[in-house]
Amino acid sequence: MMLDVQNLVHRFPGGVNAVNDVSFSIAAGETLGLVGESGSGKSTIGLLVTRLLAPTGGTILFEGEDITRLPPAALRKLRARLQIVFQDPWGSLNPRMTIGRLLEEPLALHTTLDSAARIAEARRLADRVRLPAASLSRYPHELSGGQLQRVSIARAIANRPKLVVLDEPTSSLDLSVRAGILQLLDELQRETGIAMLFISHDLETVRLVSHRVIVLYLGRIVEQAPAATLFDNPAHPYTQVLLSAHLPPDPAMRLRRHEVTGEIPSPINLPPGCFFAGRCPVALPACTAAPPPAIALEAGHSAACLRIADGTNIIDPVEERA
Ligand SMILES: Nc1ncnc2c1ncn2[C@@H]1O[C@H](COP(=O)(O)OP(=O)(O)OP(=O)(O)O)[C@@H](O)[C@H]1O
Ligand code: SF4
Ligand SMILES: [Mg+2]
């Protein structure tokens, strides 16, 4: 496994339990999608995995090496192989550096290439992400959002990393440029076998790019499955609710959304049982007693719900013919 995360926990100062006992792995060449509503802990997991944040508990193995606690020098070296791309390219690129310098920077940090070789490599990188050569002498404010995200991706792949975390990489971009960025990521993965953790609240995008998908609710994994299985056969009641809220309009169907009421628990004071129990339409008394264990449904598909044991986990038909 490229990445193996076991029992990851993160509690922010102030008592926010952002990540609660999360375990997953990513293979080389694989894209794992991470979905969940705002505040479910997606970005925190991205920061922990890239060790921009130190976890409160659990272990992170990267290429078999325990990177859970590393001294700063070892962390800096790790960054060549383990990269992150953020949502906002405007905020993550130094506005006073030319695109050429921005592309040379990771090479200066992690290689022994001399200046001429770095310039040549920066050109190659720009070409690889389909940035016009003329953009190398430009500044970030002179580029479009889509072009800037290409710069961020080029910087992330400059040192041929094994894993890239993409935290909402297309969410700040116009719909018309998103497809081009997703296409580029797909090409890069096919060429280099890079593993990707793709974070997004946009379910359609996640379905498109991911091999497997994890659904988070309040920092806990409620379900994980191959992408097609998750979207066609969601097992956890929360996943069913989440997907039904994003049903595409279809005039031939009388779509039924699962409406849920009830309070979302505070991450500072989480309940002892299933975090979804207060809103779940099919909750049982036992659901509030202890965290439900993950139940395997089929190969690679599991969900943490007490209703799965006897097959009563499906809320009700999502759609009906009109
Ligand atoms: N630096 C911080 N200090 C304290 N709490 C934080 C900090 N960063 C995030 N949190 C809290 O941790 C929880 C998880 O936040 P996180 O940003 O990981 O969620 P997310 O799933 O990425 O949300 P979004 O979809 O809005 O990006 C939230 O309750 C958030 O308020
Ligand atoms: S464990 Fe209980 S409360 Fe949680 S999703 Fe399943 S049925 Fe609903
Ligand atoms: Mg986030």
Side-chain angles (χ1 to χ4, degrees), residues 38-39 41-44 87 167-168 199 201:
S38 185
K42 303 182 298 294
S43 294
T44 306
Q87 172 175 356
D167 190 354
E168 311 262 8
I199 296 173
H201 61 261

Side-chain angles (χ1 to χ4, degrees), residues 2 49-52 62-63 65 67 70 72-84 105-112 125 152-165 192 194-195:
M2 189 58 69
V49 157
T50 47
R51 285 305 329 280
L52 291 164
F62 175 61
E63 295 193 284
E65 177 193 353
I67 62 162
L70 284 182
L75 269 182
R76 276 195 299 276
K77 279 182 80 177
L78 177 73
R79 297 272 143 70
R81 294 181 288 143
L82 183 47
Q83 278 287 316
I84 186 164
E105 190 180 45
L107 301 166
L109 275 173
H110 295 293
T111 72
T112 54
L125 278 168
S152 300
I153 292 168
R155 277 163 58 87
I157 62 165
N159 292 298
R160 301 171 207 274
K162 298 295 181 67
L163 174 72
V164 176
V165 174
T192 62
I194 204 166

Side-chain angles (χ1 to χ4, degrees), residues 5 8 14 26 31 40-41 86 97 100 105-106 124 126 134 140 146 159 168 179-180 201-202 237 255 258 265 285 297:
V5 172
L8 195 63
I26 311 180
T31 298
S40 58
F86 294 104
M97 284 168 75
E105 190 180 45
R124 197 195 62 80
N159 292 298
E168 311 262 8
H201 61 261
D202 176 9
L255 300 175
H258 305 306
L297 288 117

